[in-house]
Amino acid sequence: MPELPEVETIRRELEREVVGKRVKSAEVHGTRTVRRQPKKQFITRLDGVKITGVDRKGKYLLLRLDSGDELVIHLRMSGQLLRAAAKDPMPKHTHVVLTFTQGGQLRFVDPRTFGEMFVTSPDTEDVDAPELAELGIDPVEEPISWQTFARLLTARKTKLKAFLMDQTVLAGIGNIYSDEILFAAGLRYDRDTDSLSSQEIRRLYRAVIETLHEAIKYGGSTLADDQYVDLNGKPGEFQEHHKVYDREKQPCRRCRRNLVHKAKFQQRSTFFCEVCQV
Ligand SMILES: [Zn+2]
């Protein structure tokens, strides 16, 4: 599933590609992608609006519209946003198409159909999308001090990986980046949040910020079994820099003597080095 770095990559591209453009028409195919409101209402609220900005909160994209509304997009497992010319062949599983008056289209393609789009407004967001209001701090959008981070960490007694992936505390980190962050910090996924020394808290804090920014620099991660591509259909490159994620039984890139170990945590794979992470 795309996480903060992948969604941020798309946000930056959307900022260049669609801000200032006006929607000539919106088309919706099928019933899965637009499921939170009637299809007709979705289409009407997009008709003729100009996109004035693109924000992100965690894994959600929020396109600001000159009507005062916002178009919310969540890619979930396999959603892709692709720019295209109207004459380009329509890929399979295209569920939503926005055509701009200036020409060009933005298409939402999603084979597994967990992804979602809906139009809401800042006034009704709480009711239309309560999960947005529950999101915690986005560590890239809202830089926090290590003291604030330490307060968040010590306020919850849980395992480190669960803490990092809790969207109501920090928004945007999932299975891939929690593993990479924990490796960078030299900490195990199953350490208790209240067991860290202040030096370890600082290391974890730095690892969160640095890992996410580094991943954004490389356009996010595209995995063999994953569907993530950017607005131009190009895969990310950060997977080539993964230290542990999806590297089971390969030599650790730090100690070079131990093989990366794979464990199960909350029904998901977690990758770590038993020597480098304590
Ligand atoms: Zn190691």
Side-chain angles (χ1 to χ4, degrees):
M1 184 198 270
E3 301 178 28
L4 189 156
E6 291 78 38
V7 182
E8 176 61 16
T9 301
I10 294 174
R11 190 198 69 76
R12 291 179 183 186
E13 292 175 333
L14 284 172
E15 207 158 53
R16 285 193 297 269
E17 185 61 30
V18 304
V19 170
K21 288 193 175 167
R22 198 173 280 285
V23 177
K24 187 172 149 199
S25 64
E27 266 171 67
V28 179
H29 305 287
T31 54
R32 291 282 296 148
T33 304
V34 178
R35 55 183 179 258
R36 208 177 282 232
Q37 67 199 140
K39 218 191 248 193
K40 213 171 143 191
Q41 188 197 95
F42 176 86
I43 291 168
T44 308
R45 285 173 83 169
L46 288 174
D47 187 33
V49 299
K50 188 162 130 188
I51 298 169
T52 56
V54 186
D55 293 326
R56 182 185 54 73
K57 186 134 196 218
K59 302 171 193 169
Y60 290 83
L61 287 164
L62 300 116
L63 278 62
R64 308 286 175 200
L65 310 175
D66 67 349
S67 57
D69 282 346
E70 54 195 17
L71 169 61
V72 182
I73 306 171
H74 197 304
L75 304 171
R76 302 273 174 209
M77 305 294 287
S78 60
Q80 301 177 339
L81 278 174
L82 299 169
R83 61 185 284 249
K87 62 172 175 27
D88 293 342
M90 199 67 76
K92 237 179 151 175
H93 310 294
T94 302
H95 300 291
V96 176
V97 179
L98 302 184
T99 302
F100 299 107
T101 54
Q102 292 88 340
Q105 293 182 332
L106 183 66
R107 297 172 176 177
F108 187 76
V109 178
D110 188 6
R112 300 182 65 183
T113 68
F114 292 109
E116 195 185 358
M117 288 174 92
F118 57 91
V119 179
T120 178
S121 78
D123 306 332
T124 56
E125 198 186 273
D126 292 4
V127 182
D128 294 343
E131 70 271 37
L132 279 175
E134 283 164 15
L135 288 176
I137 294 170
D138 184 303
V140 168
E141 283 292 297
E142 311 158 57
I144 49 169
S145 65
W146 87 268
Q147 289 92 339
T148 304
F149 180 79
R151 268 200 300 280
L152 293 172
L153 185 80
T154 47
R156 278 169 184 75
K157 169 125 174 72
T158 180
K159 304 292 180 196
L160 286 185
K161 180 151 171 149
F163 166 77
L164 290 173
M165 291 185 20
D166 184 344
Q167 301 301 301
T168 67
V169 184
L170 294 173
I173 301 169
N175 210 35
I176 298 175
Y177 294 101
S178 55
D179 280 3
E180 291 299 314
I181 288 165
L182 288 165
F183 179 83
L187 298 167
R188 278 180 65 106
Y189 67 99
D190 53 0
R191 275 280 294 277
D192 289 318
T193 45
D194 62 0
S195 73
L196 271 59
S197 68
S198 97
Q199 200 193 3
E200 286 175 325
I201 296 175
R202 279 175 195 255
R203 243 170 38 214
L204 182 59
Y205 166 73
R206 265 204 312 274
V208 168
I209 308 295
E210 286 174 10
T211 304
L212 294 175
H213 280 97
E214 190 71 0
I216 293 168
K217 204 175 90 188
Y218 286 102
S221 305
T222 301
L223 306 174
D225 63 339
D226 207 335
Q227 304 273 337
Y228 168 71
V229 290
D230 69 10
L231 220 53
N232 297 305
K234 210 171 116 295
E237 289 174 4
F238 191 64
Q239 66 283 0
E240 290 156 31
H241 302 270
H242 285 180
K243 303 284 200 303
V244 281
Y245 191 81
D246 213 12
R247 295 194 65 246
E248 188 189 11
K249 294 188 180 136
Q250 294 180 50
C252 170
R253 289 191 161 140
R254 184 178 291 153
C255 65
R256 306 205 178 267
R257 58 197 165 92
N258 193 42
L259 303 180
V260 172
H261 192 73
K262 179 169 145 182
K264 276 264 183 260
F265 180 73
Q266 294 179 342
Q267 281 90 50
R268 315 218 19 214
S269 298
T270 191
F271 300 88
F272 67 106
C273 173
E274 287 168 301
V275 172
C276 296
Q277 293 172 257
V278 293

